[in-house]
Amino acid sequence: MDTFNNIFDLAIIIGGVYIMYYAVQMKIADKIKVGVIVPADVNVQGMKDREGFKKYAYPRHVAQGLALTLLGVIGIFLDLIGRGDVHVIIYAIALVVLIIGNLIIDKGKRKFY
């Protein structure tokens, strides 16, 4: 078991849970976390269509958070069964999920700012 890989796996899991937590907070408590859900330069109080934004962003953030959490768990599982060599693939997939997910989410969200 490689501790270095587990640290990255835990970071991926924590990042996924963090995204999901703020997505749920946005949906339930109407709190839009600047820097996580929207870029830091966006004024959430001056959004054009706040409800439309929440309906658009919630499922995409939850899906991204679930994917990252699942990839982190798979990475730990692979380490437990002795397949640490596959971690590079897991990290590449996690990076792609994060980048492409953010691009898709940001592309659609711009119409709500």
Side-chain angles (χ1 to χ4, degrees):
M1 198 182 303
D2 190 2
T3 306
F4 189 70
N5 285 338
N6 286 339
I7 290 172
F8 281 119
D9 292 329
L10 287 174
I12 292 170
I13 291 169
I14 290 169
V17 170
Y18 188 71
I19 291 170
M20 285 189 299
Y21 172 76
Y22 280 113
V24 170
Q25 287 296 312
M26 175 182 63
K27 179 86 168 179
I28 293 174
D30 195 34
K31 294 181 184 177
I32 299 175
K33 178 70 171 166
V34 175
V36 177
I37 302 295
V38 295
D41 61 341
V42 174
N43 179 7
V44 294
Q45 305 305 329
M47 293 180 109
K48 298 175 194 171
D49 183 9
R50 192 175 177 100
E51 290 303 314
F53 170 77
K54 291 189 322 187
K55 286 180 184 175
Y56 176 83
Y58 175 75
R60 288 160 178 82
H61 281 290
V62 169
Q64 185 181 35
L66 280 173
L68 290 173
T69 303
L70 182 64
L71 286 168
V73 170
I74 290 171
I76 290 174
F77 175 73
L78 289 172
D79 212 20
L80 289 174
I81 63 170
R83 293 300 313 252
D85 56 332
V86 185
H87 266 103
V88 174
I89 296 169
I90 295 296
Y91 295 149
I93 293 171
L95 184 62
V96 167
V97 165
L98 190 61
I99 291 172
I100 293 190
N102 282 346
L103 288 175
I104 290 170
I105 291 167
D106 284 343
K107 186 177 180 181
K109 287 194 303 189
R110 299 238 180 247
K111 63 183 172 185
F112 299 108
Y113 299 163

